[in-house]
């Protein structure tokens, strides 16, 4: 045993895994797309233990690969390829510390799952609104580190808007307790922002105080069908105008996406009306009775059905129908994995330019990769498109150089988004896979500032090295 291993093993309240099989799940991400290796997986059970681990790693220059629920999409949650360093898993920090309904806040350890936070809020008759497909597994620390988005951003904003305070351990082991529930606090730099969306490169999040909201009295959900994106965008606008501050979700699916769900999960899909090329899931929530909300929604949709803006509409009349509408939306990831090789792009463009992006991207695909199909799942109210080029497994397997094909396709898709004032990563982050895009699309002054901040907080470069900010 080296002196590093012995000192690691002596840290109280800490589980250290060094066997191949027990470390394996921490070396590959949830979707099994990225993998790496490390000398140990370290699972501290207290903030003091996290601090002691970082002090040791800082003193020895040992890389630290922070890991939450390991559901991240950009390869940032698994260790690098060299085998050096440790995976620091936060899952044993899993206490709900305090729920304050009178303050509309909740304070939790970083390793608590998102679903456990939603449930703790609900038990106190409050709402924690962040919601995403991986909520049973992803952790609050990971949600903060990735500034997670999901389906309710259109009303409540991304994770950045939901965090009141953060507790973090810095690269040298210093514990910073920034857990405050203040809504207003103009006292210099807002340091918690350094930990939000920076993917564990500036510090380890160990706890957070989050905003809670009143639970809406009623919720009405509808699935609307369209021939074109102009009609989708006009309807999204009309919904916001008809339900000011009450639109909770605006989720766009292409007909190609619905057909994929139909093929692999027929029991979870909804019929696609003839002529429908796009479908929009709309959810409105509010303080009025459900009956009133249903009436208002029906009244808002009727003229659109009459004037042909809508091909068809299905309104969830009860909880079972609402769940059926959401089930189709929540099944897309699993269905796409079964369908083929989907090259997914987490694009955002200004909402007004969504139609242009989709038209240009589809034309690009038809020109260079006619064998692939455009598939779209979109948080359309935020301008966020998961734009997918779907290849059959056979077509993909026949590619002589799949990596080069992916790089070429990515570049063309991101160039279109960038040209429209958009970004290559809306909610998934940068991780290890978007370093080339950071170099290509970020201004030198932005990269320079990021490097300055990184050097100030992590001078030895031990925290998630090589991720987010390119060397
Ligand atoms: C089915 C599915 C659906 C998804 N849907 C969405 C969606 O709609 N919107 C969305 O935004 N994302 C989505 N994601 C992506 C993913 O769930 C989010 O990025 C999530 O926030 C990651 O949390 P995690 O705990 O799994 O973090 P991990 O994957 O473990 O880590 C992600 C990054 O955060 C760092 N990190 C983790 N914990 C900490 C910590 N405590 N301190 C410092 N750094 C840390 C890691 O080093 C890594 O860089 C989805 C993923 C899946 C599998």
């Amino acid at each position: 045993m080296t002196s590093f291993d012995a000192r690691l093993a002596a840290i109280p309240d800490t589980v250290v895994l060094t066997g191949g099989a027990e470390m394996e799940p921490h070396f590959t991400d949830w979707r099994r797309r990225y993998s790496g290796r490390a000398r140990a997986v370290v699972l501290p059970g207290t903030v003091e233990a996290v601090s002691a681990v970082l002090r040791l790693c800082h003193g020895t220059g040992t890389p630290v690969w922070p890991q939450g629920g390991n559901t991240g999409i950009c390869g940032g949650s698994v260790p690098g390829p060299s085998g050096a360093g440790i995976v620091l898993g936060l899952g044993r920090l899993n206490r709900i510390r305090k729920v304050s309904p009178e303050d509309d806040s909740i304070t939790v350890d970083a390793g608590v799952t998102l679903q456990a936070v939603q449930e703790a809020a609900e038990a106190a008759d409050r709402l924690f609104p962040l919601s995403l497909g991986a909520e049973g597994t992803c952790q609050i620390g990971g949600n903060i580190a990735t500034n997670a988005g999901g389906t309710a951003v259109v009303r409540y904003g991304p994770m950045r808007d939901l965090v009141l305070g953060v507790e973090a351990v810095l690269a040298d082991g210093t514990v910073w307790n920034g857990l405050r529930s203040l809504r207003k606090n103009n006292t210099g730099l807002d340091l918690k922002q350094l930990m939000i969306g920076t993917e564990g490169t500036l510090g380890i999040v160990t706890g957070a105080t989050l905003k809670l909201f009143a639970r809406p009295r009623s919720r009405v959900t509808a699935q609307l069908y369209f021939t074109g994106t102009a009609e989708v965008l006009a309807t999204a606008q009309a919904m916001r105008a008809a339900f000011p501050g009450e639109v909770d979700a605006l989720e766009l699916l292409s007909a190609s996406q619905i057909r994929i769900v139909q093929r692999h999960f027929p029991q979870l899909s909804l019929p696609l009306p003839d002529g429908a090329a796009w479908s929009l899931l709309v959810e409105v929530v509010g303080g009025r009775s459900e009956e009133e909300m249903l009436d208002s929604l029906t009244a808002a949709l009727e003229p659109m059905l009459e004037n042909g803006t809508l091909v068809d509409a299905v309104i969830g009349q009860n909880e079972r129908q609402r769940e059926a509408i959401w089930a189709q939306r929540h099944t897309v990831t699993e269905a796409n994995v079964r369908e083929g090789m989907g090259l997914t792009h987490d694009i955002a463009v200004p909402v007004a330019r969504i139609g242009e992006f989709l038209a240009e991207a589809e034309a690009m695909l038809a020109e260079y990769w006619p064998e692939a199909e455009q598939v779209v799942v979109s948080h359309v109210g935020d301008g966020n498109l998961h734009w997918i080029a779907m290849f059959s497994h056979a077509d993909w397997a026949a590619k002589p150089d799949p990596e080069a094909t992916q790089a070429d396709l990515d570049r063309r898709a991101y160039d279109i988004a960038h040209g429209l004032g958009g970004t290559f990563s809306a909610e998934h982050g940068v991780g290890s896979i978007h370093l080339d895009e950071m170099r290509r699309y970020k201004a030198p002054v932005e990269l320079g500032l990021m490097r300055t901040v990184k050097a100030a907080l992590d001078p030895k470069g031990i925290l998630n090295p090589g991720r987010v900010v390119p060397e």
Side-chain angles (χ1 to χ4, degrees):
M1 196 185 251
T2 64
S3 107
F4 177 86
D5 293 333
R7 287 163 69 194
L8 194 58
I11 295 173
D13 300 318
T14 303
V15 174
V16 180
L17 310 177
T18 50
E22 53 184 9
M23 290 199 289
E24 208 51 49
H26 297 271
F27 287 176
T28 303
D29 71 300
W30 189 86
R31 295 184 309 157
R32 310 197 69 76
R33 290 270 173 104
Y34 312 105
S35 56
R37 292 184 306 118
R39 64 190 290 170
V41 173
V42 181
L43 308 170
T46 62
V47 177
E48 295 70 35
V50 176
S51 166
V53 171
L54 282 182
R55 256 197 320 276
L56 173 60
C57 290
H58 191 254
T60 53
T62 304
V64 176
W65 312 103
Q67 190 175 78
N70 203 7
T71 67
I73 307 273
C74 297
S77 62
V78 295
S82 73
I86 60 155
V87 171
L88 183 68
L90 280 306
R92 290 182 65 235
L93 290 182
N94 58 6
R95 283 177 317 130
I96 304 275
R97 298 192 196 173
K98 189 178 173 196
V99 186
S100 301
E102 67 285 355
D103 210 17
D104 270 332
S105 72
I106 184 170
T107 300
V108 300
D109 284 354
V112 175
T113 63
L114 171 54
Q115 189 174 329
V117 173
Q118 293 165 343
E119 287 168 0
E122 191 175 341
D125 195 27
R126 290 292 186 278
L127 173 77
F128 183 63
L130 190 78
S131 178
L132 46 99
E135 60 199 22
T137 309
C138 65
Q139 301 172 4
I140 287 301
N143 299 150
I144 291 175
T146 58
N147 184 27
T151 52
V153 173
V154 69
R155 183 160 195 242
Y156 298 97
M159 192 61 172
R160 190 183 296 287
D161 292 342
L162 304 174
V163 179
L164 292 168
V166 158
E167 175 192 73
V169 178
L170 306 181
D172 65 358
T174 304
V175 178
W176 169 52
N177 184 339
L179 293 175
R180 302 185 182 94
S181 61
L182 298 175
R183 313 277 155 159
K184 290 180 132 182
N185 179 18
N186 275 356
T187 52
L189 287 185
D190 185 2
L191 293 172
K192 68 176 180 297
Q193 300 297 344
L194 292 170
M195 300 298 150
I196 305 175
T198 49
E199 302 179 52
T201 58
L202 301 182
I204 305 298
V205 178
T206 52
T209 300
L210 308 168
K211 284 184 196 170
L212 298 181
F213 295 82
R215 285 168 63 72
R217 269 183 71 196
S218 54
R219 182 178 294 276
V220 180
T221 310
Q223 192 81 41
L224 314 179
Y225 297 91
F226 306 86
T227 49
T229 52
E231 289 79 8
V232 174
L233 295 175
T235 302
Q237 279 277 15
M239 288 293 114
R240 288 193 211 239
F243 296 92
E246 293 182 326
V247 177
D248 195 40
L250 286 171
E251 297 284 303
L252 177 72
L253 297 177
S254 60
S256 52
Q257 177 63 81
I258 292 175
R259 279 193 288 269
I260 289 173
V261 179
Q262 284 174 342
R263 271 199 287 280
H264 302 283
F265 295 92
Q267 72 285 12
L268 296 177
S269 63
L270 301 174
L272 188 62
D274 285 346
W278 298 96
S279 177
L280 182 68
L281 186 163
V282 178
E283 187 164 86
V284 290
V285 297
R288 290 178 285 157
S289 75
E290 200 159 293
E291 215 170 34
E292 283 175 291
M293 298 287 279
L294 263 175
D295 286 348
S296 305
L297 186 60
T298 311
L301 295 177
E302 252 164 21
M304 296 186 209
L305 276 164
E306 275 161 25
N307 69 21
T309 305
L310 290 178
V311 174
D312 201 356
V314 175
I315 299 182
Q317 301 283 348
N318 53 42
E319 196 51 37
R320 196 180 51 77
Q321 289 175 0
R322 270 198 296 281
E323 277 173 15
I325 289 174
W326 273 108
Q328 175 172 266
R329 170 64 184 86
H330 286 315
T331 310
V332 299
T333 308
E334 198 68 37
N336 288 348
V337 169
R338 295 188 187 191
E339 174 73 8
M341 181 63 185
L343 305 186
T344 303
H345 303 80
D346 177 33
I347 299 278
V349 291
V351 173
R353 310 202 74 176
I354 286 175
E356 280 170 85
F357 174 82
L358 289 171
E360 283 186 42
E362 188 171 34
M364 176 273 285
L365 207 55
E367 182 176 353
Y368 295 97
W369 294 279
E371 72 276 26
E373 184 176 35
Q374 171 174 271
V375 174
V376 181
V377 188
S378 163
H379 310 302
V380 75
D382 319 324
N384 180 190
L385 304 162
H386 299 316
W387 183 82
I388 304 164
M390 180 63 76
F391 292 83
S392 72
H393 286 301
D395 280 340
W396 191 252
K399 296 267 173 258
D401 186 349
E403 259 180 45
T405 302
Q406 167 141 24
D408 188 10
L409 195 153
D410 288 354
R411 170 69 58 89
R412 291 177 192 280
Y414 294 141
D415 278 357
I416 295 171
H418 186 71
L420 295 168
T423 174
F424 59 88
S425 181
E427 60 174 12
H428 292 162
V430 175
S432 55
I433 64 169
H434 285 311
L435 296 171
D436 280 348
E437 284 76 34
M438 288 292 279
R439 284 188 200 95
R440 183 169 169 87
Y441 301 111
K442 297 300 261 189
V445 62
E446 289 176 311
L447 289 177
L449 285 170
M450 288 185 197
R451 289 188 186 113
T452 303
V453 175
K454 170 75 176 169
L457 269 87
D458 180 18
K460 293 190 173 182
I462 62 166
L463 294 178
N464 237 353
R467 269 80 197 264
V468 182
V469 186
E471 305 286 319

